[in-house]
Amino acid sequence: MRVVLVFLALCLPVWSAALAQGSDVPTIDVQFEETETVPGQPLTLRLTVLVPTFMPDPPIWPDFESPNMLVRLPSKASTPTSKSIGGQTWAGISRRYQITPLVPGDFVLPESSVTVRYQSPQGDGVLETTLPVPEFRLNAVVPDGAEGLDPFVAAESLKLTQTVDGPTTELKAGDSFSRSVTAQIDGVTPMFLPSLLPEAALEGLRAYPETANVEETENRGVISGVRTETTVYVAEGAADGALPEITLSWYNLSTKEVEVASVPAVEVKASAPLAVSGGGDRGARAFARRAGIVVLGFAIVLFACWIFAKPIAGVIAARRLAWRESEAFAWKALKSALRAQDLSASQRAFDIWRRRCDRRAPDAEAAVEAAFLILGQAQFGLTAVADGSGAWRTLTQEVRGLRRKLRYRRATNPKALAVLNPDAAREG
């Protein structure tokens, strides 16, 4: 018996060290209770790491990034914790993830790991270990009755509001107004909201859309936010109609029903713009009539002179009419509008001049449209241009470059028009 007691006394320290060494290994606790949701609604994954001493550095956590899935850390995602194990208090850190499927379907979070550095229980340095995280499977299902929603938006609440700044009726050429639509959504991030305002504008209006403003907030783990879109509309011609009503169908997570949020249409009326320059075709026709009366009077008085006067008057009237309808005449009006830095007049004059050119240069035309858009956003939108004169110089250069590409096939003959207007042959 004495020998047995001596043997046990010698072995007990070894067994105690072995048990202590086995209980000193860090542990990880994984909680992923729900694995099914609807697109846009998050699932919670929590990882808790415990060590017998303390961690001098934060653990290296996995990121779980995966296609069509949003993985985010809510506020206070990492929190300290502790637990009693074997009569000892272990220190730890808990990490919370929000896993949100973006589309319907089945998803897999692959196996991963957490790297942990902790103080050795024996006090002889810092140890490092890797704790495995198993694979997770989850699926996102569209609720019954919401299969036709495109895009699918599920939330606790959703409201659309609209603000119109400026009159929308009795507009004249160059007048403008803005339309802002705001979507307030609760229970999901506003990134799931689609575009609200249509890109196309009513005929007779030119649209200058601003960059959408998206703001997200979080309150005790509940996400909400707003998306605001603003478009400035400028009257360029006659318009009589309405900017369309905006509707958005969505799934109410509280009532389990599909609901519709909407804002009403906006009535718009604008009058036609004035002619680019005085008279136009009507002035030319009036001149032709007056010239005909004069020729007829001379014919009554001097029959012989009438034989020569009538053809001469016809040629003059025809040339004057051709000049007013020519590309060179429209180009002269466009240059005047550009020098005056009048955006509405420049756009109207450019459209008239462009219709009188019989060739196309898509790249150069796109550059001109881009220059017009920059000036329009600066004048009617929220975007500021640091150098307004520089923007006008850019537009003028792009317009001149476009004409150089088209000048060899004009609608009228510049040599013939030089008789009435020598400046018509020069680009200036």
Side-chain angles (χ1 to χ4, degrees), residues 33-79:
E33 299 175 355
E34 297 184 11
T35 59
E36 182 174 298
T37 185
V38 300
Q41 292 302 301
L43 297 171
T44 299
L45 169 64
R46 187 184 297 274
L47 305 180
T48 302
V49 173
L50 294 167
V51 298
T53 52
F54 66 90
M55 288 176 278
D57 304 306
I60 301 176
W61 305 95
D63 55 24
F64 297 113
E65 292 297 332
S66 183
N68 293 323
M69 191 155 51
L70 175 65
V71 180
R72 61 186 300 154
L73 300 174
S75 60
K76 299 180 180 180
S78 298
T79 56

Side-chain angles (χ1 to χ4, degrees), residues 11 25 32 37 39 56 58 60 87 97 180 278 284 287 307 331 355 363 381 395 399 418:
C11 292
V25 177
F32 194 42
T37 185
I60 301 176
Y97 297 85
S180 297
F287 172 82
I307 298 176
W331 173 251
R355 288 196 296 269
D363 293 342
L395 174 59
V399 171

Side-chain angles (χ1 to χ4, degrees), residues 9-22:
L10 294 175
C11 292
L12 184 59
V14 178
W15 292 342
S16 300
L19 291 173
Q21 184 177 4

Side-chain angles (χ1 to χ4, degrees), residues 171-175 203-208 233-239 270-274 343-344 346-348 351 372 380:
L171 298 172
K172 298 180 177 60
D175 291 345
E203 184 176 358
L205 299 180
R206 181 171 295 213
Y208 295 93
Y233 298 93
V234 181
E236 293 187 330
S271 58
L274 298 175
L343 180 58
S344 297
S346 297
Q347 290 171 332
R348 295 195 301 272
D351 292 339
F372 269 124
F380 302 109

Side-chain angles (χ1 to χ4, degrees), residues 101-186:
L102 303 180
V103 296
D106 297 325
F107 299 87
V108 176
L109 295 178
E111 294 182 0
S112 55
S113 61
V114 179
T115 300
V116 181
R117 299 181 72 247
Y118 65 102
Q119 180 66 40
S120 169
Q122 289 74 32
D124 54 356
V126 177
L127 303 178
E128 182 175 307
T129 187
T130 300
L131 304 176
V133 178
E135 174 187 282
F136 301 101
R137 293 184 176 272
L138 61 142
N139 62 318
V141 180
V142 175
D144 293 339
E147 296 84 351
L149 294 183
D150 185 19
F152 177 82
V153 178
E156 297 292 341
S157 67
L158 193 154
K159 181 174 66 173
L160 292 181
T161 57
Q162 153 173 279
T163 302
V164 178
D165 186 9
T168 63
T169 58
E170 299 183 0
L171 298 172
K172 298 180 177 60
D175 291 345
S176 65
F177 67 93
S178 66
R179 184 189 195 189
S180 297
V181 176
T182 299
Q184 170 73 50
I185 193 168
D186 296 320

